[in-house]
Amino acid sequence: MAITPLMPVYPRSPVRPVRGEGPYLWGEGGEKYLDFASGIAVNLLGHGHPHVTKAVQEQAAKLVHVSNLYGSPQGEAFAQRLVDLTFADTVFFTNSGAEAVECAIKTARRYHHVHGNKHKFELISFSNAFHGRTLGTISATNQEKMRDGFEPLLPGFTVVEFDNLEAAKAAIGEHTAGFLVEPVQGEGGIRPASMEFMKGLRALADEHDLMLLLDEVQCGVARTGTLYAHEQYGITPDIMATAKGIGGGFPLGACLATEKAAAGMVVGTHGSTYGGNPLAMAAGQAVFDVVANDEFLAQVKATGERLRSALEQMIPNHDAIFEGVRGMGLMLGLKMKTDSRDFVLYLRTRGILTVAAGDNVIRVLPPLNIEEAHIREFVDGLSAAASEYKVSAAA
Ligand SMILES: *Cc1c(COP(=O)(O)O)cnc(C)c1O
C-alpha cells in the first residue's frame, strides 16, 4: 500500500516533536527547536504552561465531558467572562476555528431569516482570506488551492479585493447579508486591514442593516496586543469567530454575537457534541486568567515592538532576501524577496520554527510570554541562517 496511515494532506516536515517547554520543542532524536510558530498561533503561552497544564489536569480528573443537553456551570462561567470582556452578549463554543466561522455564517443568515428577509443570505468576503477547511469556509475564499476539486461549493459568497472599501460597497446587493473579514489576514500573508477599511465596513453594515462578521481565529486572544484585534480599529463586530490561541493548545473555539445578531439562534438551530465541554472550558479559563489583563496585554505590545525593531535592524544586512516586516503585536510577517516556503524549510534545519504564508511571507508567531533572550536567539539564528542561505542559494 502506498498511502500513509495519516492521510497525506500535509507536506509533513522531518521535525517530529515529542516534548515541549516554554518556547522550545524537542524532536524524537532530542533535537531542540525554538518554536516561533506556536502551532500556528495556538500555543499562546508556549508549551507546558504550568497554569494551563494544572487546570487541564485537575479538570480531567474531575469531569471531562457531559452533553450540552445538561446545564453547564463551566460553560456559563466562561461565556460570562467573554461577554464581560467583549462586545458580545452570547457565546457558542466549538472545537475549532472553522466551526466557529460556520456558526458565525449560520448566525448571520438566521438573523435575516427571522426578520423576514430570507433572500439576504450572501456574505461578502475578501481575496486571499482563510476561514478554515470545511465546505462552507472554503466557499468563502477565492484561494483556488483550497477549493479545487471540492465543487460544488456552498452558494452565497461574493469575494472582492481585501482592504478595498469601494469594492466592498459596490458588491452590496439585494441578497447581501453581511461582510466576513479577518481584521489581520493570517494565512494570506499577515496583512492588517486599514483603519479606513474596517471603519468603512462597520458604517456600511449599519447603513444597510448588514452583519459584520470578524474572523479573529488567528489574530484574536491577545495576539496583537489587545484581547481582540478589532479593538485597535475602534469598532465592534456583530458576530466574531475566535479559536486557535483561546485554549492554549486545547481544541477550543467560539462564536460570539450581540443579542441583536443572535436573534435567530434559538433552541434547536445549532449544536455541537463536544463544544464547550468542561475540559475545554478549564483550558480556556486558564488562558484567560493569564492573558486577559492590561498588564499582560501591554507586555505583548512591548514585546511585539522589540521583536519588530530587532527584525527591522537585521533586514538591511540581508536585503537580498528580506523586504520588510508587517503585522501587529506578536502577529508579525517577514516579507521575503524570495520563496518564503523554501526559507521556512531551511530555518527548520537550523532549529527555528516559523510558518510560511501567502505573498512570500514568513509568519513569526511566538508564544506571547517570550522574553528578551528568546527574541535575541531568534533574530541571531534567523540572521545566521539568512547569511548561509544566500551562500547556499548562490552555490
Ligand atoms: C486557522 C484559521 C481558521 C480555521 O481554524 P481551524 O481550527 O483550523 O478550523 C479560520 N480562520 C482563520 C483566520 C484562521 O487563521
Side-chain angles (χ1 to χ4, degrees), residues 28 47 111 136 158 171 211 230 247 254 261 277 321-322 343 347 351 367 372:
E28 280 173 322
H47 302 282
Y111 167 80
T158 301
M211 294 279 104
H230 66 259
N277 80 20
I321 60 170
F322 297 134
F343 189 65
L347 282 177
E372 192 65 40

Side-chain angles (χ1 to χ4, degrees), residues 96-98 130-132 182 215 217-218 244:
S96 68
F130 182 70
H131 298 297
E182 297 159 85
D215 181 346
V217 168
Q218 193 162 154
K244 287 205 165 88

Side-chain angles (χ1 to χ4, degrees), residues 1 24 56 91 95 123 136 164 179 184 213 238 281 286 290 386 389:
M1 211 175 292
Y24 297 103
V56 169
V91 181
N95 315 290
L123 289 174
N164 182 336
F179 302 105
V184 186
L213 285 62
D238 301 292
M281 297 297 92
V290 179
Y389 186 69

Side-chain angles (χ1 to χ4, degrees), residues 204-227:
L204 285 173
D206 290 340
E207 194 181 323
H208 298 274
D209 187 26
L210 304 176
M211 294 279 104
L212 179 60
L213 285 62
L214 296 186
D215 181 346
E216 292 223 22
V217 168
Q218 193 162 154
C219 63
V221 198
R223 177 59 54 190
T224 65
T226 45
L227 193 55

